Amino acid sequence: MKKDIHSVLSRHKNSIVTTVLFAASLPVMAEKVEIHTPNNSLVIELNKGKEPQFVYYGTRLTEHDRQTLQEPSTANWSHLQLYPAYGANHTMSETAFAMRHYDGNMSTDLLVSDYGVKAISDKAPNNKDRQGTLLTITLRDNLYPSPVHLYYLAYKDADIIECWTDIENKEKGTVTLSQFYSSCMPIRRGDVYVSHFHGSWAAEAQLTEERLNNGMMVIKNKDGLRNATTDRQEVMFSLDGKARENEGDVIGAALMYSGNYRVNIDTDDTEYHYYIAGINPDNSEYHLRKDEIFTTPRVAYTFSDQGLSGASRNYHRWARSYQLRHADKERDILLNSWEGVYFDINQKGMDQMMSDIASLGGELFVMDDGWFGDKYPRDVDNSSLGDWVVDKRKLPEGIDGLLRDAKKNGVKFGIWVEPEMTNTKSELYEKHPDWVIKAPGREPVTGRGGTQLVLDLSNPKVQDFVFGVFDELLTKHPAIAYIKWDSNAPVMNHGSQYLSMTNQSHLYIDYHKGLIKVCERIRAKYPDVVIQDCASGGGRANYALLPYFDEFWVSDNTDALQRIFMQWGTSYFFPAIAMASHISATPNHQTFRTIPLKFRCDVAMSGRLGMEIQPKNMTDEEKALCKQAISDYKNIRKVVQFGDLYRLHSPYSGDNLASLMYVTEDKNDAVFYWYKTETFVNQHLPRVKMRGLDPEKKYTIHELNSIDNTPLDCEGKVYTGKYLMSNGLELPYKHSVDYHKQNDWSSRVLQIKSL
Ligand code: GLA
């Protein structure tokens, strides 16, 4: 085993000896095993016949640090077992695992039986090659033969360690799992703040930052499908006082699951907070058959000493390399038909929208909901889901006609589907009423439109059907470049008509196993098509699904002001290249707020730019501004989509300003965004210091989307990176425009280029 892959520290009779060998053949002793990423180390103490113990997670250790590493429990008592199982030792504290054994025994005692570290080189779920170090720890109970395997995968070129668990049943028959968390991480008490995200439809990723106090914090979701609509499963811990964007130590923990989850942060009478996260066990007791293996979802941890933004950059780099499809390709600028025409789809209208987006400089047109249904045409939201055939009344020349028009207009073509769903008013439901999720013996409770139901993806026939929706579209029309995969209902009924009555509690879990199987099949056959992950907006922004998708719809709310807040929260864990952000009409269709187009463009340009509007209703002046924004975006697209994010000034700060920037890895190009979020006379806004530039380099400033009669004072001037980062630029709080064009909104986008 090479020394640069891992180090094993052996402690024997209080003396610590560095060794690059495993102690498998040595006498009984405790070993400290370290795995590391470029800048982080995780150290676990492994002692055969004892529980695995947390020792250290933080900045990468030096050789000297390894020699002197302290036992975390040196000063005070804490329980630092990494996978506490219920019943034998742990009954009073929170546990990660609980099982009713074959003989009815509810206690488990998971002790280290084997472990090993190896270099791995495999395919990440987005199909990219990855390299890292995998620590596997096998735990066994002396009374029972079922092993539990803990995995810790440290990436070679990303500061991420992924952890997950396999639970194997080797008993005489079926066992019942009632807790099956993915991972635990003790976090030293102190002045620890947790940043987490609450939300709702059209109000996703609302940030809450609070000090961790005694007691248990639970963050969870029980939607069944859209697990990022309400609370989010990703959290950041600021370890040394109130959360700061660009200073301080931060641990990030992103659970990577697509279904119901539960994140527990327990603070008891010991010296640590205990993070325990995984699948939500509520109503999900799992019967594991003999020889079956239950694999938990993963948790991706990071550590950064550069504040919240530093932790975000670690997630973004990892995501762009391994957790998102085609993240090395620039995203197309698109027009989506939804807010422009809603269900009013017809061939002429689609052709007009394609021609309009082409003339504005866009590259892709996406036809949203409303194009399908034969017996039951989809004119409103109460019918036809499942009947994925073109409505010939609206589109007499079918998808081929649309593809022809797209070609004529010089844009790519994309289409909306919601394949996991049906309506009681649909041919699919008439044919397969047994495919829907519903409680045994009861009429189904319906969702959107009063008729929507979820298909039961635990059923392999339903999996084939959902795959078939993609297969049919893409086989018949290989020129389709983009699919928006939507999902607009929760599981409102508990019951599978496919699962046995004994296994009804598997529904939530088996649904998501089925979903991932379908995603894998789609990607195996259609690796190139761009797929958007949408679920009533950002309801499925999660790292279990994103490896199969190219991006997600941040929110159905396109109001530029609320988007600043939602995109701010979303950016904690997800990179700009994945965040679909569209310019929409005014008054906004969700908040009815009227925001000038300039501000709307400036906000949309901080993510993956698109439009969600009827261009034919825009004035020539508005079209010209959008055309300019699209053309400018093409110049900064690489910086936004592949650059490093620095959040500079939080919209949550309460002082009416939000600011962020992206900087390329070579620090030659940057884009700076500045948004005034409220207006008062005699208002005082802080000057924003930039980040991430090279202090030694000189940069020119150029304002994009400028609407002012006179250029900014800094326009075209040259500043050192040092000046921009230690001082920042003064920006006027208002736009200098003619009197009749004045309004209460103000925003700036600055392109920054090194000389
Ligand atoms: C959901 C999506 C929207 C749109 C509609 C169509 O709400 O989030 O973007 O596609 O469905 O019904």
Side-chain angles (χ1 to χ4, degrees):
M1 198 61 62
K2 284 200 193 113
K3 200 169 180 177
D4 64 327
I5 294 172
H6 77 285
S7 303
V8 177
L9 312 182
S10 304
R11 187 166 62 87
H12 188 43
K13 290 186 185 162
N14 296 330
S15 69
I16 295 179
V17 185
T18 304
T19 169
V20 292
L21 297 170
F22 287 115
S25 55
L26 300 176
V28 178
M29 61 171 63
E31 280 196 322
K32 289 197 182 77
V33 176
E34 178 197 352
I35 53 169
H36 56 70
T37 64
N39 299 296
N40 298 169
S41 289
L42 172 69
V43 181
I44 295 173
E45 186 167 286
L46 294 167
N47 194 347
K48 287 194 178 180
K50 297 262 168 61
E51 291 180 80
Q53 301 271 336
F54 169 83
V55 179
Y56 175 87
Y57 183 47
T59 203
R60 185 159 161 185
L61 297 170
T62 63
E63 198 51 52
H64 181 83
D65 298 331
R66 284 185 195 114
Q67 305 295 328
T68 53
L69 197 62
Q70 277 190 305
E71 291 288 336
S73 53
T74 301
N76 292 293
W77 177 76
S78 295
H79 45 91
L80 295 163
Q81 294 81 9
L82 274 172
Y83 203 65
Y86 178 78
N89 189 12
H90 309 281
T91 48
M92 290 125 63
S93 54
E94 291 304 317
T95 49
F97 176 90
M99 177 197 256
R100 184 189 286 272
H101 294 270
Y102 178 64
D103 59 7
N105 189 343
M106 286 182 65
S107 71
T108 306
D109 193 16
L110 291 177
L111 311 174
V112 175
S113 86
D114 288 296
Y115 54 91
V117 182
K118 62 176 183 191
I120 59 151
S121 175
D122 66 358
K123 289 266 183 217
N126 72 344
N127 210 33
K128 283 272 148 73
D129 293 327
R130 72 174 161 195
Q131 292 191 331
T133 309
L134 182 70
L135 163 64
T136 306
I137 306 167
T138 298
L139 309 174
R140 281 178 207 277
D141 186 322
N142 287 333
L143 284 187
Y144 294 96
S146 296
V148 168
H149 310 279
L150 309 183
Y151 299 99
Y152 295 83
L153 166 62
Y155 280 74
K156 191 176 174 191
D157 59 355
D159 282 316
I160 295 288
I161 296 180
E162 287 176 14
C163 305
W164 73 101
T165 299
D166 272 358
I167 302 158
E168 233 180 301
N169 178 11
K170 290 282 175 202
E171 298 192 14
K172 287 190 191 124
T174 299
V175 298
T176 302
L177 305 175
S178 54
Q179 272 184 358
F180 25 70
Y181 286 105
S182 298
S183 172
C184 303
M185 178 66 83
I187 292 173
R188 182 65 165 85
R189 272 189 189 228
D191 195 12
V192 177
Y193 277 71
V194 61
S195 304
H196 60 105
F197 306 91
H198 185 67
S200 179
W201 174 78
E204 290 88 339
Q206 305 291 313
L207 174 66
T208 302
E209 270 162 3
E210 55 188 306
R211 192 170 191 272
L212 275 181
N213 281 316
N214 295 324
M216 176 102 133
M217 174 185 263
V218 175
I219 300 170
K220 48 89 189 159
N221 178 283
K222 296 191 186 186
D223 184 278
L225 261 76
R226 303 164 308 172
N227 74 357
T229 296
T230 53
D231 285 6
R232 294 229 159 148
Q233 61 192 313
E234 303 87 7
V235 294
M236 282 191 193
F237 299 97
S238 295
L239 306 185
D240 38 18
K242 224 169 171 322
R244 284 166 298 160
E245 279 297 349
N246 292 294
E247 289 96 23
D249 290 349
V250 172
I251 288 177
L255 176 62
M256 301 159 69
Y257 191 48
S258 59
N260 292 351
Y261 66 81
R262 191 175 155 109
V263 173
N264 307 295
I265 305 162
D266 190 39
T267 307
D268 58 15
D269 56 342
T270 66
E271 290 310 303
Y272 280 74
H273 306 285
Y274 300 92
Y275 166 91
I276 305 179
I279 296 177
N280 195 329
D282 278 7
N283 302 306
S284 290
E285 161 179 288
Y286 210 86
H287 307 114
L288 199 63
R289 292 192 312 271
K290 183 170 165 45
D291 295 327
E292 211 184 340
I293 298 178
F294 184 99
T295 301
T296 71
R298 299 178 181 210
V299 174
Y301 293 107
T302 197
F303 172 84
S304 172
D305 58 8
Q306 291 167 43
L308 299 165
S309 275
S312 296
R313 287 191 292 279
N314 290 350
Y315 280 110
H316 296 175
R317 286 195 201 115
W318 163 77
R320 286 196 302 262
S321 303
Y322 307 110
Q323 293 299 315
L324 194 64
R325 280 285 146 164
H326 314 125
D328 46 358
K329 289 206 181 102
E330 290 181 37
R331 302 309 197 230
D332 288 329
I333 299 163
L334 63 84
L335 170 67
N336 183 292
S337 67
W338 181 239
E339 286 194 25
V341 296
Y342 292 103
F343 292 101
D344 191 12
I345 300 276
N346 60 67
Q347 196 160 328
K348 208 166 144 236
M350 297 298 97
D351 187 18
Q352 164 252 311
M353 288 183 112
M354 291 188 225
S355 147
D356 284 341
I357 187 61
S359 69
L360 292 173
E363 299 146 331
L364 165 71
F365 171 73
V366 182
M367 177 174 69
D368 209 283
D369 199 351
W371 59 268
F372 52 93
D374 180 18
K375 180 172 173 189
Y376 303 106
R378 175 88 166 168
D379 294 330
V380 285
D381 65 1
N382 68 0
S383 73
S384 329
L385 294 172
D387 303 347
W388 301 107
V389 286
V390 167
D391 180 348
K392 287 277 181 177
R393 295 169 319 148
K394 296 179 183 174
L395 302 166
E397 294 181 79
I399 293 173
D400 285 335
L402 295 165
L403 285 166
R404 181 204 56 219
D405 290 346
K407 200 167 171 195
K408 173 187 80 187
N409 289 303
V411 289
K412 296 179 196 163
F413 178 78
I415 194 164
W416 179 96
V417 289
E418 197 181 351
E420 298 150 89
M421 303 288 162
T422 190
N423 296 101
T424 49
K425 202 169 143 194
S426 71
E427 292 185 69
L428 181 77
Y429 185 66
E430 285 171 354
K431 230 160 111 193
H432 298 290
D434 53 323
W435 281 8
V436 303
I437 290 179
K438 78 169 198 74
R442 301 181 197 283
E443 281 305 305
V445 179
T446 50
R448 189 182 184 195
T451 56
Q452 186 158 337
L453 289 168
V454 183
L455 298 175
D456 180 1
L457 265 178
S458 71
N459 182 343
K461 285 197 178 125
V462 174
Q463 294 167 21
D464 289 345
F465 172 79
V466 174
F467 170 73
V469 174
F470 282 79
D471 202 24
E472 176 99 359
L473 276 174
L474 293 169
T475 316
K476 279 198 185 146
H477 314 287
I480 291 178
Y482 178 109
I483 295 189
K484 174 173 174 178
W485 178 341
D486 210 340
S487 175
N488 288 314
V491 171
M492 296 170 77
N493 307 264
H494 191 132
S496 166
Q497 303 182 72
Y498 169 74
L499 295 169
S500 67
M501 286 307 271
T502 322
N503 286 343
Q504 288 292 303
S505 59
H506 292 197
L507 173 63
Y508 290 117
I509 294 172
D510 285 1
Y511 185 98
H512 289 276
K513 282 191 191 165
L515 177 62
I516 297 295
K517 271 192 200 158
V518 172
C519 289
E520 278 169 356
R521 277 172 78 183
I522 292 171
R523 279 313 187 182
K525 190 154 177 198
Y526 302 103
D528 297 330
V529 66
V530 174
I531 312 182
Q532 184 188 68
D533 163 357
C534 174
S536 315
R540 273 188 172 170
N542 67 58
Y543 277 122
L545 289 178
L546 277 182
Y548 307 101
F549 291 80
D550 297 71
E551 60 173 31
F552 60 90
W553 183 221
V554 173
S555 175
D556 273 358
N557 187 341
T558 54
D559 172 83
L561 180 63
Q562 207 170 339
R563 273 282 178 141
I564 290 176
F565 289 84
M566 290 188 288
Q567 292 179 186
W568 187 270
T570 304
S571 80
Y572 271 56
F573 285 89
F574 301 102
I577 191 170
M579 289 164 52
S581 186
H582 296 178
I583 301 165
S584 65
T586 194
N588 179 267
H589 295 189
Q590 294 78 38
T591 61
F592 301 96
R593 200 182 341 251
T594 297
I595 298 183
L597 185 58
K598 148 82 179 152
F599 195 94
R600 284 179 271 147
C601 291
D602 285 0
V603 172
M605 280 173 77
S606 68
R608 195 281 281 133
L609 175 66
M611 299 186 77
E612 184 100 9
I613 197 165
Q614 172 53 282
K616 79 171 182 200
N617 297 340
M618 293 164 74
T619 63
D620 286 347
E621 195 180 344
E622 287 173 331
K623 280 187 185 158
L625 190 56
C626 283
K627 199 170 175 178
Q628 185 61 47
I630 287 175
S631 138
D632 281 345
Y633 186 77
K634 287 179 184 165
N635 291 326
I636 58 167
R637 175 156 47 186
K638 277 199 172 70
V639 188
V640 177
Q641 297 188 357
F642 309 132
D644 281 330
L645 168 70
Y646 291 82
R647 283 185 303 267
L648 304 173
H649 197 94
S650 172
Y652 290 90
S653 61
D655 49 20
N656 306 325
L657 184 70
S659 181
L660 57 111
M661 68 192 287
Y662 299 102
V663 185
T664 53
E665 211 178 335
D666 61 13
K667 299 189 182 296
N668 285 333
D669 290 278
V671 195
F672 171 87
Y673 298 83
W674 182 97
Y675 309 108
K676 196 169 68 146
T677 56
E678 188 50 279
T679 290
F680 300 101
V681 173
N682 193 20
Q683 184 171 21
H684 305 289
L685 302 179
R687 187 172 56 211
V688 180
K689 292 179 184 176
M690 297 190 187
R691 293 273 179 173
L693 300 171
D694 182 339
E696 305 301 327
K697 284 188 177 154
K698 291 199 175 107
Y699 296 91
T700 49
I701 306 293
H702 170 51
E703 186 185 10
L704 304 180
N705 292 348
S706 173
I707 53 162
D708 293 28
N709 293 336
T710 46
L712 288 177
D713 170 67
C714 55
E715 176 68 31
K717 292 202 179 138
V718 175
Y719 300 89
T720 61
K722 187 164 183 224
Y723 179 84
L724 294 171
M725 292 195 289
S726 60
N727 186 78
L729 293 173
E730 285 296 355
L731 295 171
Y733 301 169
K734 281 184 178 176
H735 291 287
S736 66
V737 291
D738 295 347
Y739 184 77
H740 73 279
K741 286 190 178 166
Q742 285 191 5
N743 59 58
D744 51 344
W745 296 88
S746 176
S747 57
R748 306 281 170 183
V749 181
L750 305 181
Q751 186 176 12
I752 301 169
K753 275 184 154 314
S754 74
L755 289 185

